[in-house]
Amino acid sequence: MKKLLITTAFCLLAAPAFAGTRVAVTMTSFDNPFLTILLNGIRDEAKREKNVELLTEDAQLDPAKQLNQIQNFIANGVDAIIVNAVDGDSTAAITRAAADAKIPLVYVNHPPAELASGLPEGAAFVGSNELDSGTMEAKAACKLLGGKGRAVILMGPLENHAALVRTKDVEAVFSQPDCRIDIVEKQTANWNRTQAQDIVSSWLTAGLKFDAVVANNDEMAIGAAQALKAAGVAMNDLVITGIDATPDGLAAMKAGDIDATVFQNATKQGEAAVQTAVKLAGKQASERTLWVPFELVTPDNMAAYQK
């Protein structure tokens, strides 16, 4: 079925009858709650835009597969490309291919390495400043801990820009004079709930003592909570924080399993990515870097983020 869908997509891609803007999208993975929200934002905005045909592909966490998808998009003459990069450090070939083909390119959510030195003409980035996300999360955890204690960190993939920056943010906050939190362990759980649950279960079995679990995203925070509850740990005895404020994350907060999270507006990122792609395809002026602010979410204000 998957092969049939992909084949159908490229048949549509090659169809000469469509006179509007053809925007092709490659996502890191379709199997990720946060990225599903991002993709839905892209799809909904494409429907609102006039004469936009949207085509989507799943890179399945494979940088080589994603590059191949980009090459197929270019070969089929799309008007613009949106990329949610699998690996921000491996985007040079994508950026170069789009620039050589003179096809507008918009990176969304996960910044490419080239952002630091400057993207070429016709390329843009839409996302949120990760320097804020981990900092907000860590400060919230520090406040809940009263400025002292022992914490563990659950990290996203080590090749992922967001995971690296969020972890560094937490480490920086926890080393400040007014927040002496000892980081006793940190491990990669790849944004995944089940992996996080397994890791925290292993820590508990090994007798590791900690007062807080600081996770790079909500899915891992939920996995940590599941492990702790399975071990009979009272949830009010520990602090658990995450990032993204996904519907599942907010449900976990309502249940008392997560104490704080940081809202990343995936819907707004998706909408802005499509708007930027359409502008660039139409030779209109557009911001080259668009930042969507992070927002701290706690039990006191979570109602405003629930739909």
Side-chain angles (χ1 to χ4, degrees):
M1 179 59 73
K2 184 177 289 185
K3 290 183 179 178
L4 177 60
L5 290 173
I6 291 173
T7 300
T8 302
F10 282 118
C11 285
L12 288 170
L13 202 64
F18 185 74
T21 304
R22 294 176 296 165
V23 180
V25 182
T26 169
M27 299 291 295
T28 294
S29 171
F30 286 174
D31 188 24
N32 179 296
F34 175 80
L35 295 183
T36 296
I37 298 171
L38 175 63
L39 181 56
N40 286 340
I42 290 172
R43 285 173 169 159
D44 290 344
E45 182 61 25
K47 291 176 183 176
R48 284 189 290 268
E49 291 279 348
K50 293 182 179 179
N51 298 319
V52 170
E53 180 184 32
L54 190 70
L55 301 123
T56 59
E57 293 285 356
D58 183 356
Q60 299 177 332
L61 304 174
D62 185 344
K65 185 179 185 72
Q66 188 162 65
L67 177 59
N68 182 255
Q69 290 168 349
I70 296 295
Q71 292 167 340
N72 286 335
F73 292 157
I74 292 170
N76 283 277
V78 300
D79 298 302
I81 297 171
I82 295 174
V83 178
N84 171 240
V86 173
D87 182 357
D89 290 331
S90 300
T91 52
I94 292 174
T95 302
R96 184 168 55 250
D100 289 347
K102 294 182 171 51
I103 294 177
L105 174 68
V106 180
Y107 286 102
V108 62
N109 182 253
H110 191 187
E114 304 87 83
L115 186 64
S117 57
L119 289 168
E121 191 70 27
F125 170 70
V126 176
S128 300
N129 193 340
E130 294 296 350
L131 292 174
D132 297 329
S133 60
T135 300
M136 286 183 179
E137 177 189 25
K139 286 183 176 180
C142 184
K143 183 178 180 179
L144 289 165
L145 289 169
K148 60 183 179 180
R150 295 159 58 88
V152 294
I153 301 177
L154 290 169
M155 302 182 293
L158 296 181
E159 70 274 9
N160 186 279
H161 170 82
L164 293 174
V165 176
R166 290 174 186 182
T167 301
K168 289 180 180 178
D169 291 345
V170 173
E171 292 171 336
V173 171
F174 283 179
S175 66
Q176 292 174 2
D178 60 343
C179 185
R180 290 298 183 182
I181 308 296
D182 294 325
I183 299 171
V184 295
E185 185 63 89
K186 60 181 181 179
Q187 196 164 330
T188 300
N190 294 306
W191 307 127
N192 186 274
R193 186 184 304 193
T194 302
Q195 290 186 36
Q197 183 175 2
D198 291 343
I199 289 169
V200 174
S201 294
S202 296
W203 286 339
L204 294 171
T205 300
L208 187 67
K209 303 295 183 183
F210 49 90
D211 306 299
V213 178
V214 181
N216 283 172
N217 78 337
D218 287 346
E219 280 296 292
M220 295 187 292
I222 293 169
Q226 290 174 335
L228 290 161
K229 289 195 291 186
V233 178
M235 298 311 294
N236 57 3
D237 289 343
L238 285 121
V239 169
I240 301 179
T241 62
I243 293 175
D244 289 336
T246 61
D248 283 355
L250 294 174
M253 180 176 286
K254 186 175 182 180
D257 294 344
I258 292 180
D259 299 289
T261 185
V262 180
F263 178 56
Q264 180 174 193
N265 198 332
T267 299
K268 179 63 72 175
Q269 289 181 10
E271 292 171 352
V274 174
Q275 293 164 2
T276 302
V278 171
K279 284 182 180 179
L280 291 174
K283 309 299 182 184
Q284 300 176 43
S286 175
E287 294 288 336
R288 301 291 297 281
T289 305
L290 294 88
W291 295 112
V292 179
F294 282 104
E295 302 168 35
L296 181 66
V297 182
T298 68
D300 292 336
N301 68 350
M302 69 175 177
Y305 296 88
Q306 291 177 311
K307 295 181 180 180

